[in-house]
Amino acid sequence: APWALLALALLPVMAQVRSREPLGRAMTGNRASASRAHGAGLLAAGVGAGLLVARVGTAQCPTFLAPQTLQVSPEIRQVALRGRAAEQPRSAVPRGGAGALPLALGLLCGGAARLSAALRGSSRKRCLRATAEAAATLTGPSMRVVVFGSSGYIGQAVVKELAARGHDVFAVSREVCGIKGAQSAKGLESEFSGAGKVQVVTGDVTDPVSLRGTLSSIGNVDAAFCCLASRSGGVQDSWDIDYQATVNCIEAAREAKMKQFVLLSAICVQRPLLAFQEAKLKAEAFLMEKQGDMKYSIVRPTAFFKSLASQIKAVQSGSPYVMFGEGDVACKPISEEDLASFIADCVWDPSKQDAVLPIGGPGDAMSFREQGEYMFKLLGKEPSFIQVPYGVFDFVQGILDFIAGLLPDKMADLAEYGRIGRYYAEQSMLVLDPATDKYSGPLTPSYGKTSLRDFLKEAIEDNSILDRQQLGEQGLDAQLKVDG
């Protein structure tokens, strides 16, 4: 069992801690006292942690009441616009990719660990709330709008929400889209069948010439929605997609004289310690540079319910709830329907124009420990937790850095995946309070119909909800081609 392997693997770690030697010296230092036993301990810890995290899946990696108009206070606006925050509470985390510690550790273990069954497949059906039910009470004129990144998890929800509100929607897609060309533009059309006035148009966001041609073929467009996000989380991919492709879309929208550009970003850019965060921030800055009359809305969601699926199924099957440290990292996730509704509001609500908008779901923020306790309460079981020490990351990161150093060309992103995993394990997905430099649930705006507690309750009562909350083609098993 991965739990037993992790326990055995941590024995040399504990011995190293007791001897008060620096953690990770065997892989990161050159001092003679770093023995072969310590090196073996590092490898064992990496393998054990790889199996453990693969077992848990991405349960702690957030990679987001009637809807109401959001009023962003000056204090929140100040936090949202900050480029960089003060030093991170636990430890400085270098750059990385997006939500992929399990991927890096799975590679480290030679692919032997079977990834969580909760990450299988891709279901593009509506989740928990119908699109029409998630629509806001706002009203406004019908527009001609274009959606970049329309084949993604949130992009599809945005297309459907805009169509449900009566807009003419042009969903931009490559002829072959998805992870490693798993989907086609024609296949994407079938996903939007019956959604309303949706037309899939082909274009390549990485090619400015192709993009201009696509928009020219569409004709006049009022607003653009950009839901692009790097899929691999690698450094180069982040700069290619989260920055350059996004900038291509912004420039094309400006040339087309669009009235507004709505950009989907992420709340974690408040502490930009990862490559994709820095790329997103630079794209945000480019958009905020006023050129012409095009208004902007930058939406920074917290986390998504899909990240909880594997933990719910594990607890239901009798496994303990796994968390890092004391489980005090908190989040206030938002459903994809509620987020799509909020994004669609931006073209009808003047208060959301020329603004940076952090947003979470309704209800209070919950720590990982509180989420576990609530799950056990709903199931009528005694709480059972496994606490993985943060020190495991030191050892795993040492191994990943070592491997990346040996094969920089082929394994350059490997260490980045470990760092992104650590980031999400240590950082809360909430607004940073500028007065305390700490994450704050009360300062994180709320929006939508489905709270985290609502989702957990309904998901435990009906597991089919979890099947519609999977990572789909952005899941780790889809990238590694792990069979269920």
Side-chain angles (χ1 to χ4, degrees), residues 139-395:
T139 59
S142 175
M143 300 180 180
R144 287 168 59 85
V145 300
V146 62
V147 179
F148 304 111
S150 60
S151 65
Y153 177 72
I154 299 302
Q156 290 195 35
V158 170
V159 168
K160 294 175 182 177
E161 180 62 35
L162 291 168
R165 297 188 182 201
H167 298 299
D168 292 327
V169 185
F170 298 89
V172 177
S173 169
R174 292 170 296 170
E175 285 286 359
V176 177
C177 55
I179 294 290
K180 298 182 180 179
Q183 192 175 29
S184 66
K186 288 188 176 296
L188 188 60
E189 283 182 348
S190 66
E191 300 292 346
F192 301 136
S193 177
K197 298 178 181 179
V198 179
Q199 180 179 342
V200 176
V201 294
T202 57
D204 186 351
V205 294
T206 65
D207 182 353
V209 175
S210 169
L211 202 53
R212 285 195 295 269
T214 298
L215 294 184
S216 177
S217 68
I218 294 173
N220 293 331
V221 176
D222 297 303
F225 295 81
C226 184
C227 302
L228 296 176
S230 59
R231 292 185 182 275
S232 72
V235 176
Q236 190 60 52
D237 191 42
S238 295
W239 285 104
D240 287 345
I241 304 301
D242 291 308
Y243 173 68
Q244 190 57 61
T246 301
V247 166
N248 292 344
C249 294
I250 296 170
E251 289 181 325
R254 284 173 176 162
E255 291 180 14
K257 306 298 182 184
M258 295 188 197
K259 299 174 184 177
Q260 188 172 352
F261 194 98
V262 181
L263 174 62
L264 175 63
S265 185
I267 203 167
C268 60
V269 299
Q270 298 169 112
R271 276 200 167 116
L273 303 171
L274 309 169
F276 84 93
Q277 295 166 340
E278 294 179 352
K280 284 183 179 294
L281 273 177
K282 190 172 180 180
E284 287 184 7
F286 184 84
L287 177 59
M288 287 187 284
E289 294 174 359
K290 295 297 291 183
Q291 296 180 16
D293 298 326
M294 189 174 76
K295 297 183 181 298
Y296 67 84
S297 301
I298 297 173
V299 180
R300 292 177 173 177
T302 50
F304 306 118
F305 294 142
K306 65 181 182 181
S307 62
L308 307 174
S310 60
Q311 283 277 52
I312 294 173
K313 289 188 174 182
V315 169
Q316 281 185 308
S317 66
S319 298
Y321 183 93
V322 181
M323 59 190 181
F324 291 100
E326 297 296 323
D328 54 352
V329 171
C331 66
K332 190 176 183 178
I334 184 170
S335 72
E336 67 269 29
E337 289 86 7
D338 285 339
L339 177 58
S341 178
F342 182 86
I343 290 173
D345 284 353
C346 291
V347 293
W348 281 350
D349 185 354
S351 70
K352 293 182 175 62
Q353 296 173 358
D354 288 341
V356 177
L357 306 162
I359 190 64
D364 297 331
M366 295 180 70
S367 68
F368 287 121
R369 179 177 286 278
E370 289 172 332
Q371 293 172 37
E373 291 172 345
Y374 189 63
M375 287 183 201
F376 286 114
K377 179 180 178 181
L378 291 173
L379 292 168
K381 297 182 178 181
E382 285 294 318
S384 175
F385 296 93
I386 286 183
Q387 295 177 232
V388 181
Y390 286 105
V392 167
F393 284 103
D394 294 325
F395 291 91

